[in-house]
């Protein structure tokens, strides 16, 4: 396909701003222009790391992209503890995760909230990585595809094609996150193909063919090649394994 793979490290609640600098420096030292030509590389970091990462990336003109793990649906106001799209845009974030399963689970984010956050991200020129995926009971009941497609449709409700064409969808089966249980490549492909089909139905085949769909859930250097060999998987959202710079670089070099 013509889609450039996107390998994104989701650090979750790990690495303080000093550790973040050391980590991004390691990535910058290891990654070559050849790597960056082949794969888009991004890190999704804690809010408190963003300024440090921005200074490093801007100052050294690094090709590593960065972003946040969440944003508020609101632009400003009395929302204690929240961080807005305009704040992230000012820090030149390229990406922001929306509706990660940990947000859905621990912060009660539903599709309506995710939809408002997707819109807020686009409004401020930040590419949302909309995270979707089923819990174990849902998969065992045979409903992984309809469950995930409902999250895609809910997250993109009212989002115009001009914006939707640049969305990134991350398919992360909840039972595969942080468990070491990677979803079978065929099973992941089945859901990702269905997601692309849903995008074609909601918009057009042309738009669906442009959208990058990532897989996330226990991705590491040892299993990434098989996952990336699937026709509808265009990258990975990597949690635990992204905290080890050498391992993340190996994941970026999945073709080697
Ligand atoms: O956003 C990343 C996913 O939640 C995957 O996490 O690679 O630690 O399983 P994991």
């Amino acid at each position: 396909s013509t889609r450039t793979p996107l390998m994104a490290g989701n650090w979750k609640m790990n690495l303080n701003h000093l550790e973040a600098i050391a980590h991004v420096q390691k990535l910058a030292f290891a990654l070559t222009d050849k790597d960056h030509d082949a794969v888009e590389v991004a890190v999704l970091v804690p809010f408190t790391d963003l300024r440090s990462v921005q200074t490093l990336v801007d100052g050294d003109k690094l090709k590593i992209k960065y972003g946040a793990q969440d944003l508020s649906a609101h632009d400003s106001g009395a929302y204690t503890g929240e961080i807005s799209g305009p704040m992230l845009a000012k820090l030149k974030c390229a990406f922001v995760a929306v509706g990660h399963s940990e947000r859905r689970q621990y912060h009660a984010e539903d599709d309506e909230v995710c939809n408002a956050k997707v819109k807020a991200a686009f409004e401020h020129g930040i590419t949302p990585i909309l995270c979707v995926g089923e819990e174990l009971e849902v998969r065992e009941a045979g409903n992984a595809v309809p469950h995930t497609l409902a999250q895609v449709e809910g997250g993109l409700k009212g989002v115009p094609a001009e914006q939707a064409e640049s969305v990134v969808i991350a398919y992360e089966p909840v039972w595969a996150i942080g468990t070491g249980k990677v979803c079978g490549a065929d099973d992941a492909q089945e859901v990702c193909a269905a997601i692309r089909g849903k995008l074609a139905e909601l918009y057009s085949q042309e738009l669906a063919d442009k959208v990058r769909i990532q897989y996330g859930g226990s991705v590491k250097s040892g299993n990434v090649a098989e996952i990336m060999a699937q026709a509808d998987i265009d990258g990975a959202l990597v949690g635990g394994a992204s905290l080890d710079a050498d391992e993340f670089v190996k994941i970026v070099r999945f073709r080697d």
Side-chain angles (χ1 to χ4, degrees), residues 21-62:
I21 292 171
H23 188 94
V24 173
Q25 278 171 334
K26 274 191 220 163
L27 294 179
F29 188 76
L31 293 169
T32 64
D33 282 346
K34 190 169 159 255
D35 293 321
H36 288 295
D37 288 343
V39 174
E40 196 171 4
V41 180
V43 288
L44 305 181
V45 308
F47 292 130
T48 50
D49 294 355
L50 280 172
R51 181 60 158 171
S52 306
V53 172
Q54 182 215 356
T55 302
L56 186 58
V57 167
D58 272 7
D60 287 335
K61 306 224 174 341
L62 303 180

Side-chain angles (χ1 to χ4, degrees), residues 10 12 100 172 176-178 217-219 237-240:
N10 173 14
K12 307 194 179 183
H100 189 278
E172 301 205 306
I177 296 176
S218 298
V219 171
L237 186 54
V238 186

